[in-house]
Amino acid sequence: GAVVSQHPSWVICKSGTSVKIECRSLDFQATTMFWYRQFPKQSLMLMATSNEGSKATYEQGVEKDKFLINHASLTLSTLTVTSAHPEDSSFYICSAIRPNSPLHFGNGTRLTVT
Amino acid sequence: AQSVTQLDSQVPVFEEAPVELRCNYSSSVSVYLFWYVQYPNQGLQLLLKYLSGSTLVKGINGFEAEFNKSQTSFHLRKPSVHISDTAEYFCAGLKAAGNKLTFGGGTRVLVKP
């Protein structure tokens, strides 16, 4: 069964509003989670590395003030897209490192900003 | 910097025919390599991985891949595809000293009846 749960699976919001996406590790503690972004018909691009109890590490070109990441517990990381705009519409996927196991991915969240 | 290249963006194939998806990597250090499958509007599912040992890796759903160090390749193969194999396939690499996956551009497999 799924080991990483992502919620919501899809969301539509109006331009200028903020959206929060949750990523949970279901039966293990994940000190590190990753957030990816995928545009239609393209590959996954790493946005940031979420570390429990510390600040996230953002990839070059990703605005940390726009994509707020909080990893407050060992089983939950959240990505908040602040003041969303249509160009932020994308598929966002999280993943978590499970001990002695490859990365496990959530099922993704499709964000549509109108 | 490590990069992963998938040479084919789209591969049409008839049902029950074999398929090969090409992946090449570049790196100056040892790598761990993965193949993931993504169905529409879903996350990624691990098909198989190469960490060490035997260069021929068998995965789920009848897929296998061969790690070839001399050719820096990790091609994915399936001897006989099904309609349900229609999906996007991603090759990915992970440096031994790091924990970030680098993805190839993806290959869309379209299985035709």
Side-chain angles (χ1 to χ4, degrees):
Chain A
V3 296
V4 175
S5 173
Q6 198 170 331
H7 178 80
S9 55
W10 60 270
V11 58
I12 301 173
C13 71
K14 291 186 177 181
S15 184
T17 60
S18 296
V19 174
K20 181 185 286 188
I21 303 170
E22 294 184 346
C23 181
R24 294 182 184 274
S25 57
L26 296 182
D27 60 355
F28 65 99
Q29 295 181 333
T31 56
T32 302
M33 292 185 178
F34 301 93
W35 287 97
Y36 293 85
R37 181 175 183 176
Q38 184 181 30
F39 289 106
K41 298 184 180 181
Q42 293 189 29
S43 188
L44 283 75
M45 298 298 296
L46 180 65
M47 298 175 65
T49 302
S50 173
N51 302 296
E52 188 270 335
S54 64
K55 291 183 179 180
T57 304
Y58 290 83
E59 296 300 302
Q60 190 173 7
V62 178
E63 298 177 60
K64 62 179 182 180
D65 294 329
K66 181 166 187 61
F67 298 100
L68 299 178
I69 292 173
N70 185 285
H71 196 154
S73 78
L74 286 171
T75 60
L76 174 64
S77 175
T78 61
L79 168 67
T80 301
V81 183
T82 63
S83 187
H85 292 284
E87 57 265 30
D88 298 323
S89 298
S90 189
F91 195 55
Y92 294 87
I93 305 176
C94 72
S95 67
I97 294 178
R98 186 180 187 181
N100 301 315
S101 180
L103 277 179
H104 291 274
F105 287 83
N107 277 330
T109 297
R110 182 160 301 285
L111 170 64
T112 301
V113 185
T114 61
Chain B
Q2 180 189 14
S3 68
V4 177
T5 304
Q6 290 181 244
L7 300 171
D8 307 298
S9 60
Q10 189 165 314
V11 173
V13 58
F14 286 105
E15 192 175 17
E16 297 184 4
V19 70
E20 178 180 83
L21 308 184
R22 296 181 292 172
C23 173
N24 287 89
Y25 67 94
S26 65
S27 176
S28 59
V29 297
S30 298
V31 297
Y32 301 148
L33 296 165
F34 307 82
W35 274 100
Y36 287 88
V37 60
Q38 183 181 34
Y39 298 104
N41 294 312
Q42 293 188 29
L44 275 68
Q45 180 181 4
L46 180 67
L47 281 177
L48 47 80
K49 62 183 183 290
Y50 172 77
L51 304 180
S52 64
S54 175
T55 57
L56 182 61
V57 180
K58 293 189 181 296
I60 63 171
N61 301 342
F63 285 94
E64 64 179 32
E66 185 162 16
F67 174 68
N68 189 318
K69 189 174 183 178
S70 64
Q71 297 185 5
T72 60
S73 68
F74 190 55
H75 301 334
L76 180 71
R77 302 184 184 95
K78 184 169 182 176
S80 176
V81 296
H82 302 290
I83 295 292
S84 58
D85 292 321
T86 294
E88 187 90 22
Y89 293 80
F90 292 97
C91 182
L94 178 70
K95 277 202 171 183
N99 56 14
K100 296 180 183 178
L101 270 181
T102 300
F103 286 90
T107 298
R108 185 173 299 275
V109 172
L110 176 60
V111 181
K112 302 177 180 180

